[in-house]
Amino acid sequence: DKFVLSEGKDIIKDFDASQGDTIKVDPDLELTFTQKGDNLILKAGDNIITTLMNVDEQTLLNSDSLV
C-alpha cells in the first residue's frame, strides 16, 4: 500500500514495511516520531498527526518505507 502524510489526524491500521508499504513524506516537513506502546506516531507541526498501529520506530526507520 502507498500512504501520503496529509493534514489532520489519521490512523493507519494495516501498515507493513515488510510487505512493501510506503509513506510519502514531503521533504520540507520536519517529521518527529513518538513510540506509544505498540503504535508509532508521526507528527509534523500541529497539523499532521498520523498513528501507525503496531509499528516499531526502528523497524520503520531501518526500512525504505519513507519516500
Side-chain angles (χ1 to χ4, degrees):
D1 297 325
K2 296 179 182 185
F3 301 93
V4 178
L5 290 185
S6 59
E7 287 190 19
K9 293 182 179 180
D10 297 304
I11 297 174
I12 300 174
K13 296 180 180 181
D14 63 343
F15 185 85
D16 189 343
S18 69
Q19 296 287 322
D21 290 355
T22 59
I23 301 173
K24 184 174 181 179
V25 180
D26 183 327
D28 293 330
L29 290 178
E30 193 170 317
L31 196 60
T32 61
F33 303 89
T34 304
Q35 189 75 51
K36 286 221 169 183
D38 291 337
N39 305 322
L40 181 61
I41 300 169
L42 284 62
K43 186 173 180 184
D46 293 327
N47 298 326
I48 298 174
I49 302 170
T50 301
T51 301
L52 303 177
M53 305 295 289
N54 300 307
V55 174
D56 176 73
E57 179 179 3
Q58 288 307 311
T59 301
L60 179 68
L61 294 177
N62 290 333
S63 72
D64 293 325
S65 295
L66 299 176
V67 295

